[in-house]
């Protein structure tokens, strides 16, 4: 089993009695309480500090101060790391040359995050898998590094050197310290993200997020119906809060009944037949996912309640509030391929990895992006085992899709049969891949894989050896699909970063 420690709280203990009543760690209670408080503040922020009623300066100040207060309540003096990381990186942006500023900023920001992760895991509380101060730092790291590259694109490159999406995201002037802190530490995203682009955030603060330029990214001509109205996020927020309540109820009901580490229990492994071990692993992972659904959906609802996240209109004229959404639950649970599952999980981190690494690294960008994701996630060995396994799963799934799937498209019945088989295979493969991510340590992770005789590893290897791999030239037409698949893989089971759904923008451009 993974090492067990008693989770200690570094923030306020005001809610300790509530923690004892509901039998949850006080830091998790603090997190949920602060997010609910942020939700209330978001409603007031949209109504009483609307861009038509106050200046961007006031909105920046209020958003920043509320964010720092929530950080202090949850993490105590550890929240100073947020300011230290932000301050060091801003200093690099100001004093380094534009030509190399983004590289220096990337190294400083990511390096400070890794230092804090090493300290937290190996010095203080290895094995504590609860709310911790490095979680928000992961989101801040995404924001700072994204901003650094966008400033570099906007101030040191010609437009002809940029892709369409880079042109949209490029920052044409150096942000002020207040704007910088507001973007990184605002109360809507300080605890759980998600990441968003700096330009989208500033447009929201200044009241430009409903203009036609923004709306064109959703559904083209349908946007013309409502170009002069300001849509209300009420329905979207209520819907997402209902989803949160359902996910929280499911998680609290099942997570103790179906612990993942029971899958490596000696008696269970020795006595349970193989099919029962497969079913239990799937159910254990199924019971675990609602925790992430709850955190990410609540974070999205908070941003929407403040008026941030509008992404144009649907074909029926209803507003879309998915600009910075981080997941699509039904698409995840009904996914019939590894790619579909990953495309809908932790969407914002996928975009970040794509924009700061995959699109820019000159040699073997896929390997570089996997390595960056591993560094960013943390220093638990289980993370790296998940990424290594996920790489082979991704390649094998791609080979199966290219070579086997065409034979099942001849009729609806064959396709339906193929979908059922691939759904079951996908769920088992995902559960097998992410088990070390949950178990954290090397010993229990390898014990889990030994109990399965490394069967899926061997199956992936066999598939890659037997099924033909398309030539580089033949893969050119599929580069865009594979790019999204590679990057999405890197975000598997990330528990903190909820975080820039500029997805519609990217597709449009």
């Amino acid at each position: 089993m993974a090492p067990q420690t008693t989770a200690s709280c570094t923030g306020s203990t005001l809610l300790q009695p509530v923690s004892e009543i509901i039998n949850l760690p006080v830091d998790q209670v603090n997190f949920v309480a602060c997010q609910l408080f942020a939700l209330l503040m978001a409603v007031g922020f949209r109504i009483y500090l609307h861009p038509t009623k106050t200046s961007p300066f006031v909105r920046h100040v209020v958003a920043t101060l509320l964010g720092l207060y929530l950080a202090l309540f949850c993490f105590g003096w550890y929240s100073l790391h947020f300011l230290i990381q932000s301050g060091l990186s801003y200093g690099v942006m100001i004093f380094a040359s534009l030509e190399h500023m983004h590289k220096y900023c990337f190294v400083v920001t990511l390096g400070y995050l890794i230092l804090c992760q090493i300290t937290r895991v190996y010095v203080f509380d290895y094995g504590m898998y609860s709310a911790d101060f490095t979680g928000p730092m992961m989101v801040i790291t995404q924001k700072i590094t994204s901003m650094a590259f966008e400033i570099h694109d906007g101030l040191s490159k010609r437009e002809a050197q940029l892709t369409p999406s880079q042109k949209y995201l490029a920052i044409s002037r150096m942000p002020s310290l207040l704007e910088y802190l507001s973007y990184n530490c605002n109360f809507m995203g300080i605890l759980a993200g998600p990441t968003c682009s700096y330009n989208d955030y500033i447009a929201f603060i200044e009241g430009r997020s409903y203009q036609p330029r923004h709306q064109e990214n959703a559904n083209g001509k349908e946007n013309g119906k409502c170009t002069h109205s300001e849509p209300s996020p009420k329905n979207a927020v209520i819907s997402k809060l209902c989803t949160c309540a359902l996910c929280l109820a499911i998680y609290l009901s099942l997570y103790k009944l179906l612990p993942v580490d029971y899958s490596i229990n000696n008696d269970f492994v020795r006595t349970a037949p193989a099919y029962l071990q497969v079913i239990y692993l799937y159910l254990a992972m199924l019971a675990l996912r609602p925790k992430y659904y709850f955190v990410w959906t609540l974070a999205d609802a908070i941003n929407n309640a403040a008026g941030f996240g509008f992404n144009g209109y649907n074909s029926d004229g209803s507003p879309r509030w998915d600009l910075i959404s981080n997941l699509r639950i039904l698409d995840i649970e009904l996914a019939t391929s590894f790619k579909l599952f990953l495309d809908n999980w932790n969407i914002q981190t996928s975009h970040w990895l794509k924009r700061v690494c995959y699109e820019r690294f000159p040699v073997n960008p896929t390997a570089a992006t996997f390595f960056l994701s591993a560094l960013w996630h943390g220093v638990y060995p289980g993370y790296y085992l998940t990424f290594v396994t996920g790489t082979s799963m991704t390649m094998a799934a791609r080979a199966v899709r290219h070579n086997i799937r065409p034979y099942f498209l001849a009729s609806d019945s064959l396709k339906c049969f193929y979908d059922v088989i691939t759904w079951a295979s996908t769920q088992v493969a995902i559960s097998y891949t992410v088990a070390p991510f949950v178990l954290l340590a090397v010993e229990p992770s390898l014990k889990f894989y030994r109990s399965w005789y490394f069967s899926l590893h061997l199956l992936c290897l066999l598939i890659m050896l037997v099924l033909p791999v398309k030539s580089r030239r033949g893969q050119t037409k599929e580069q865009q699909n594979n790019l999204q698949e590679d990057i999405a893989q890197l975000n598997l089971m990330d528990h903190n970063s909820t975080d820039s759904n500029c997805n519609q923008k990217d597709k449009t451009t």
Side-chain angles (χ1 to χ4, degrees), residues 173-205:
R173 68 172 180 85
M174 184 67 68
S176 68
L177 179 60
L178 177 61
E179 291 170 332
Y180 174 80
L181 289 176
S182 176
Y183 173 60
N184 289 328
C185 301
N186 65 81
F187 73 96
M188 300 170 293
I190 184 68
L191 298 183
T195 292
C196 61
S197 79
Y198 175 79
N199 284 340
D200 283 335
Y201 180 75
I202 292 300
F204 155 70
I205 289 292

Side-chain angles (χ1 to χ4, degrees), residues 107-171:
V107 171
V108 170
T109 306
L110 185 62
Y112 193 83
L113 170 66
I114 294 172
L115 177 64
C116 290
Q117 288 173 330
I118 292 174
T119 302
R120 188 189 74 82
V121 171
Y122 293 107
V123 176
F124 294 111
D125 53 8
Y126 186 98
M128 188 185 81
Y129 201 75
S130 186
D132 69 87
F133 72 96
T134 61
M137 289 182 67
M138 295 169 71
V139 180
I140 293 174
T141 296
Q142 291 183 339
K143 291 184 176 182
I144 293 174
T145 52
S146 296
M147 177 187 288
F149 279 91
E150 290 160 9
I151 292 173
H152 173 73
D153 291 342
L155 298 181
S156 69
K157 286 187 175 182
R158 297 187 301 273
E159 282 197 8
Q161 297 176 286
L162 304 176
T163 66
S165 62
Q166 289 171 350
K167 289 179 184 178
Y168 178 85
L169 297 170
I171 299 172

Side-chain angles (χ1 to χ4, degrees), residues 492-508:
L492 200 57
M493 296 303 289
D494 171 31
H495 70 291
N496 287 311
S497 275
T498 117
D499 111 39
S500 45
N501 197 351
C502 300
N503 192 32
Q504 294 300 323
K505 297 186 188 64
D506 292 340
K507 289 180 180 177
T508 302

Side-chain angles (χ1 to χ4, degrees), residues 281 337-339 342 370 385-401 425-436 448-449 452 454-464 485-486 489 492:
L281 179 66
S337 73
F338 218 71
K339 180 183 185 302
L342 301 171
F370 269 87
L385 288 174
T386 287
F387 294 134
V388 171
T389 304
T391 303
S392 60
M393 290 287 181
T394 301
M395 296 174 66
R398 191 178 296 171
V400 169
R401 185 170 67 254
S425 302
T426 297
Q427 298 302 322
V428 173
I430 290 290
S431 301
Y432 179 89
T433 300
V434 302
F448 167 78
Y449 281 146
W452 282 58
F454 291 89
S455 54
L456 296 194
H457 287 88
L458 297 175
L459 179 61
C460 290
L461 179 61
L462 179 63
I463 288 173
M464 289 185 286
E485 181 177 349
D486 289 335
Q489 166 59 40
L492 200 57

